[in-house]
Amino acid sequence: MFSNDPHKGANWSTQFEGEAGRAGADRLSVLQVEDSESDAALIERVLERAGYRLDCKRVETVKEMEAALTQQPWDVVIADYCLPQFGAESALETLHSSGCDIPFLVVSGAV
């Protein structure tokens, strides 16, 4: 879906446009590991523009993530790479420890 052409860039909001309709999945449960409410809202807007109806929860700590993983089934975890106390690497370890087998995506303004 993403272009390897450096002149085109990868615009997430347009790359996923219409994907929900083609995949037939219009409901998406998203667990976000994110300390910024505005960054979490941005990800939600992108997914909604792509046609998904969202059920989202934002967590910032290991304990919050562990609790969220037991509260309901999630379709995907989207994690900010670097948080002050809990980042993508720790979140991935937490996901693996939980036994849940779901996609894990890493997002970041800078790595």
Side-chain angles (χ1 to χ4, degrees):
M1 218 44 219
F2 289 102
S3 170
N4 289 330
D5 183 343
H7 301 290
K8 289 185 180 178
N11 184 336
W12 211 49
S13 64
T14 58
Q15 293 291 335
F16 283 101
E17 203 72 38
E19 284 298 303
R22 282 198 292 275
D26 60 351
R27 178 89 121 162
L28 194 63
S29 294
V30 180
L31 180 58
Q32 293 189 64
V33 180
E34 177 61 71
D35 63 338
S36 166
E37 286 184 40
S38 61
D39 288 351
L42 176 63
I43 290 170
E44 290 174 26
R45 281 194 305 273
V46 168
L47 293 170
E48 286 170 344
R49 282 184 47 198
Y52 290 99
R53 292 185 327 221
L54 300 176
D55 177 17
C56 292
K57 180 170 182 72
R58 183 174 63 88
V59 298
E60 296 183 46
T61 67
V62 172
K63 288 185 185 256
E64 289 176 344
M65 184 174 178
E66 289 171 340
L69 288 169
T70 64
Q71 291 170 352
Q72 74 177 68
W74 299 99
D75 295 314
V76 64
V77 175
I78 301 177
D80 190 345
Y81 181 76
C82 185
L83 300 180
Q85 298 176 16
F86 181 57
E89 292 178 32
S90 296
L92 183 58
E93 289 175 17
T94 302
L95 179 62
H96 282 158
S97 295
S98 76
C100 295
D101 185 21
I102 57 175
F104 184 90
L105 304 174
V106 178
V107 295
S108 184
V111 176

